[in-house]
Amino acid sequence: MNSTDTRPVLVTGATGRVGRLVVDQLLDAGVPVRALTRHPAAAATLPAKAEVFTGDLTEPESLDPALRGAGAVFLVWTAPPRTAPAVIERLAAQVRRVVLLSSPHRTPHPFFRQPNPMAELHAGIERLIAATGLETTVIRPGMLASNSLAWWAPTIRAGKAVRWPYGAAETAPVDDRDVAAVSARTLYQRGHAGGDYVLTGSESLTQAAQVGVIGDALGHRIAFEEMTPDEFRSLSEGAAPSEVIDMLLTAWSAAVGQPAYVTSAVADILGAAPRTFRQWAAEHASAFEPGS
């Protein structure tokens, strides 16, 4: 391991989709880990080797015990922006470097150029971190492969056709494990200070084709039916903020008729090709099966 530091790495969002995997990746590499969680009961889901701290981004002072003596932080912002300046100030006073899980809001592709409240939040945090002089690496995953679990798995488990808007929109889903592996590598390996990495899968696929790949993994065809944007808004009411729904619809609309934005960043950093969506679907097929 070409490590920059032997001090612990603090992982925020340690029980989330990516953060939980980053914890495992760091421990596998022999890096001491401090896992931050808002709920003490969540410690049961974390590896015994991880040192668990209770803290909340909305209460900056609660982070002090976890930050004291740490060398780096994996920052996943999961709170309103109000406390971001105080949190970043604390990070700058205690640690040397930060790896931020952000979004590809600077990417020159129509899919990522839509008005997006999350992108605005990330951009603001990036500016705060840049002003501190901290060694910083920014990780920008595109569409996560695991989104299909929330979007399509309930319908597929029920044996119904997947009804979805903009089936022709192309994305390049990236496996959460690849995002975590890159994040962990940049936390402990030299040469990534100042890095700004957009992470994607290696293949551009329409949303309808992604449903087809899941069907292949299950061994049967899954029907795909086009839904209108208005239907999607109506069915999504209450499940997500309206501005998020509007952002998704405009992004998918902009992605129709052109290949997804694809980068080589995963392969460049890990020295191996990113997992394909077909691999991801095969390894998660059980989540789409009835009764799961």
Side-chain angles (χ1 to χ4, degrees):
M1 179 178 69
N2 187 16
S3 175
T4 60
D5 210 326
T6 57
R7 288 180 292 175
V9 171
L10 175 62
V11 178
T12 69
T15 58
R17 277 195 288 176
V18 175
R20 178 63 183 79
L21 297 171
V22 170
V23 169
D24 288 339
Q25 290 279 343
L26 290 170
L27 291 174
D28 288 347
V31 179
V33 172
R34 292 178 176 177
L36 188 75
T37 176
R38 288 179 294 174
H39 308 292
T45 68
L46 291 159
K49 288 184 177 180
E51 188 179 6
V52 180
F53 287 79
T54 302
D56 196 317
L57 295 173
T58 64
E59 300 174 6
E61 66 280 359
S62 72
L63 307 181
D64 289 345
L67 286 170
R68 198 169 295 118
V73 173
F74 179 64
L75 181 60
V76 184
W77 194 267
T78 55
R82 177 180 57 83
T83 56
V87 168
I88 303 305
E89 182 180 359
R90 275 179 152 77
L91 299 189
Q94 297 275 7
V95 303
R96 190 171 71 186
R97 61 188 320 266
V98 171
V99 173
L100 173 67
L101 188 69
S102 188
S103 53
H105 58 84
R106 297 178 176 178
T107 303
H109 187 282
F111 181 77
F112 298 115
R113 303 302 291 178
Q114 310 309 313
N116 183 341
M118 185 58 69
E120 293 175 9
L121 172 65
H122 287 152
I125 292 171
E126 289 171 32
R127 287 192 293 270
L128 288 171
I129 295 174
T132 66
L134 279 163
E135 290 183 8
T136 307
T137 305
V138 182
I139 306 294
R140 305 183 188 278
M143 194 64 72
L144 293 172
S146 62
N147 286 345
S148 60
L149 292 172
W151 291 346
W152 304 323
T155 299
I156 294 171
R157 285 196 296 264
K160 299 177 181 179
V162 171
R163 301 188 68 248
W164 204 251
Y166 298 110
E170 298 192 35
T171 62
V174 60
D175 194 303
D176 304 48
R177 293 168 295 181
D178 287 332
V179 176
V182 169
S183 300
R185 191 73 61 90
T186 62
L187 280 159
Y188 68 74
Q189 190 177 63
R190 297 183 189 279
H192 297 289
D196 194 311
Y197 304 125
V198 177
L199 308 185
T200 72
S202 58
E203 185 179 14
S204 178
L205 293 167
T206 67
Q207 297 196 97
Q210 291 169 39
V211 172
V213 167
I214 295 169
D216 291 344
L218 294 172
H220 62 81
R221 179 179 177 274
I222 300 170
F224 185 96
E225 298 175 0
E226 189 75 19
M227 177 190 290
T228 68
D230 285 342
E231 286 180 283
F232 185 73
R233 285 192 182 91
S234 178
L235 291 172
S236 302
E237 190 173 351
S242 59
E243 59 267 25
V244 173
I245 300 303
D246 289 341
M247 178 273 294
L248 285 171
L249 288 169
T250 55
W252 288 329
S253 175
V256 171
Q258 58 182 308
Y261 188 80
V262 175
T263 76
S264 63
V266 171
D268 294 342
I269 294 167
L270 300 182
R275 294 174 175 89
T276 66
F277 187 71
R278 189 168 296 277
Q279 287 175 291
W280 181 91
E283 293 169 6
H284 293 81
S286 61
F288 296 91
E289 293 173 347
S292 61

